[in-house]
Amino acid sequence: MKYDDDDMNLRSEESFNELVDLIAKTDDPEFLGAFFKCLFTPAEVHDIADRWLLVKEIEKGTTQREIARKLRISLCKITRGSRELKKEDSAFRKMLNMLNK
C-alpha cells in the first residue's frame, strides 16, 4: 500500500500525539530518560539537551553570541529559541516556570 503526503503527515501527527499522551502519563524520570535514549540517537539527545540549555541561557540574560560560543551552536537555533520564548503563550516559558517552582 502506498501513502500520499497527506496520509503520511496525518500518521505522523497521530503518532506524535500518541507519544505526547504517553509521556504525560509517565511520572518516572528515570524510565523517561531511558525511553528517550532508546527513541533518539546520542546526537539527537545531545541536540535536545543543547536546545533546552540555550533556552535557559536566554532566560538568564546571556547574549546570543555568548550562547553560540559556549554551546557551539548556530545563532539561527538561538534566535528560534528566543522567538519562541517571546510568544504570548510560550511553551518554553511554561516549562521554565515549572522548573523554577
Side-chain angles (χ1 to χ4, degrees):
M1 175 183 245
K2 195 168 186 166
Y3 295 99
D4 65 16
D5 287 345
D6 288 340
D7 289 335
M8 293 300 287
N9 289 337
L10 179 61
R11 288 177 54 219
S12 291
E13 186 70 22
E14 288 172 350
S15 182
F16 177 80
N17 290 335
E18 180 181 62
L19 273 172
V20 169
D21 289 343
L22 286 169
I23 290 167
K25 292 177 184 176
T26 304
D27 62 358
D28 182 346
E30 190 173 313
F31 167 72
L32 205 50
F35 174 71
F36 285 158
K37 287 182 178 180
C38 289
L39 186 62
F40 301 114
T41 66
E44 290 167 333
V45 169
H46 178 78
D47 287 345
I48 291 167
D50 276 356
R51 285 180 188 244
W52 182 239
L53 275 173
L54 82 84
V55 169
K56 293 191 305 182
E57 288 293 326
I58 292 167
E59 177 69 8
K60 286 192 322 191
T62 308
T63 67
Q64 289 191 16
R65 292 199 184 281
E66 181 66 15
I67 295 168
R69 187 190 64 71
K70 278 172 66 173
L71 300 181
R72 295 183 177 152
I73 57 177
S74 72
L75 286 171
C76 182
K77 285 181 184 175
I78 299 164
T79 300
R80 181 177 178 276
S82 180
R83 256 189 276 123
E84 289 295 324
L85 265 173
K86 291 176 184 172
K87 288 182 178 177
E88 185 175 326
D89 201 26
S90 169
F92 278 157
R93 173 78 47 223
K94 289 178 182 178
M95 291 299 275
L96 285 166
N97 289 341
M98 289 172 57
L99 180 67
N100 296 322
K101 284 185 179 181

